[in-house]
Amino acid sequence: MMINLGTSLKTSPPAAAAMTVAGAEPPPRRRRRPLLPYGLLLPAAAILALTLGYPLLRLVLISLQDYGLRSLFTGVVGWAGTANYIAVLQSPDLTPVLARSIGFCAALVIGTLVIGLGVALLMRQLGRRMRAAVMFALIAAWAIPNVASTLIWQWLFQPVYGVVNWLLTRVGVLGDLTQHDWTTSAFSAFTLVWLLVVWQSVPFVALTLHAGLTQIPRSYYEAAAIDGAGPLRVFTTITLPFLRPILGLVTILSVIWDFTVFNQIWILTQGGPSGRTTTLGIWTFTTAFSKNSFGQGGAIAVVSVVLLIAMTAVYVRRLVRSGETI
């Protein structure tokens, strides 16, 4: 009697399906995200929505209105639509002010990061007492309100009575500078503001990067020293990769703070000489309060916010990605 092995080994479709299901791994279940983190973030989100969300919505509304000096007295506000934005985009002042704002912001961010990183690396090499003294000096400089520090800076560089002019005159390298006004040229005025803003911003960057440096294990540096790696090699292969997420964070914060610098420029130069230190913040203020065109001033402010979001979006995305890989 012949038995067809091919036929006997065949199984019915339901049996085959059962065997396949039984042998396969069950599909992974989607984890339900806990709601507790969102609940903890809700109070802070509500406060931010009230303190930042409402003013921003109000700003957008004003930028779409014909809001001027007459509206303040009569309470009657006309609807302008996109007329304010068209006037701003067609203004001949837009291109130089925008280029000036971006260039000055880049100079501030680069200077703050380079000097802050250098101070953080120096603090790592100092002894305990000297490091504590440097940290105290940084915190003291950081704690001074920017208006007060700007007024002190203005007095230091003041013609006739300025301490800096007096010291430079005593040195004699640049001649007699007792009557020199540092705000008469755009380059020296921007240099004056740059020194002030960087001096105010370095403490936060230096302390933050120093905290990141303390988290790098000493064993990595000891292994690099045994392998004969030089200081530059150690910095590029050990220090910089560990600090990359923190550098991304302080870069984003520096761009946000430096792009919106107002007090220091307004107190020291008020946008002069001849408007050559006017940035977007100064342009917004003078348009709204000097020309009493609050609608156009609001439009400039909205454009500044959009540009700031566009400038920081790439860095925020990279920071989130680097945080996910850590």
Side-chain angles (χ1 to χ4, degrees):
M1 183 176 177
M2 299 290 294
I3 298 176
N4 192 346
L5 295 176
T7 304
S8 62
L9 292 175
K10 289 181 179 180
T11 57
S12 60
M19 293 174 61
T20 303
V21 172
E25 295 182 357
R29 295 182 179 180
R30 297 181 62 182
R31 293 183 178 180
R32 297 181 61 183
R33 294 184 177 181
L35 299 179
L36 180 59
Y38 298 98
L40 296 176
L41 290 174
L42 185 59
I47 295 175
L48 288 176
L50 291 175
T51 58
L52 297 179
Y54 173 74
L56 185 59
L57 292 177
R58 181 63 177 168
L59 177 66
V60 174
L61 180 61
I62 292 176
S63 68
L64 298 174
Q65 294 175 338
D66 185 12
Y67 204 108
L69 187 61
R70 180 180 298 178
S71 301
L72 292 177
F73 291 99
T74 62
V76 179
V77 181
W79 185 258
T82 59
N84 291 325
Y85 290 94
I86 294 174
V88 170
L89 295 177
Q90 292 179 350
S91 174
D93 297 328
L94 176 63
T95 300
V97 169
L98 183 60
R100 197 178 297 126
S101 301
I102 295 176
F104 188 53
C105 176
L108 289 173
V109 172
I110 293 173
T112 302
L113 292 179
V114 171
I115 298 176
L117 180 59
V119 173
L121 293 173
L122 176 64
M123 290 172 61
R124 187 179 176 87
Q125 305 299 325
L126 297 176
R128 181 179 299 179
R129 293 184 178 179
M130 195 63 188
R131 183 166 59 248
V134 174
M135 292 179 66
F136 177 79
L138 291 174
I139 295 174
W142 189 27
I144 301 176
N146 58 19
V147 174
S149 59
T150 304
L151 292 175
I152 295 173
W153 210 258
Q154 187 180 41
W155 173 75
L156 289 174
F157 289 88
Q158 187 180 17
V160 182
Y161 303 107
V163 176
V164 175
N165 289 6
W166 179 80
L167 288 175
L168 292 176
T169 302
R170 288 293 181 180
V171 172
V173 177
L174 301 176
D176 187 4
L177 295 176
T178 54
Q179 303 290 335
H180 181 71
D181 188 358
W182 297 91
T183 62
T184 54
S185 69
F187 178 77
S188 61
F190 265 129
T191 303
L192 187 65
V193 178
W194 184 88
L195 291 172
L196 173 60
V197 176
V198 170
W199 175 73
Q200 294 172 332
S201 305
V202 161
F204 171 78
V205 175
L207 293 174
T208 304
L209 294 178
H210 174 68
L213 287 172
T214 58
Q215 304 303 312
I216 303 177
R218 288 279 185 180
S219 58
Y220 289 4
Y221 293 102
E222 295 173 358
I226 294 174
D227 292 339
L232 182 61
R233 181 73 174 179
V234 171
F235 177 77
T236 56
T237 57
I238 299 177
T239 306
L240 192 59
F242 271 95
L243 290 181
R244 187 171 288 117
I246 303 177
L247 282 171
L249 176 62
V250 295
T251 299
I252 294 172
L253 295 176
S254 297
V255 169
I256 294 173
W257 294 335
D258 296 338
F259 192 73
T260 57
V261 167
F262 174 79
N263 291 335
Q264 296 88 332
I265 300 177
W266 182 254
I267 294 175
L268 292 176
T269 69
Q270 295 186 356
S274 302
R276 286 182 291 174
T277 59
T278 298
T279 58
L280 284 172
I282 302 297
W283 192 29
T284 302
F285 182 82
T286 54
T287 302
F289 296 99
S290 298
K291 300 179 181 178
N292 295 318
S293 180
F294 302 103
Q296 288 191 17
I300 299 172
V302 172
V303 172
S304 302
V305 172
V306 173
L307 289 174
L308 187 59
I309 293 174
M311 292 169 60
T312 57
V314 177
Y315 293 100
V316 171
R317 188 175 181 181
R318 290 181 179 178
L319 183 63
V320 171
R321 286 184 175 180
S322 63
E324 292 176 352
T325 57
I326 293 177

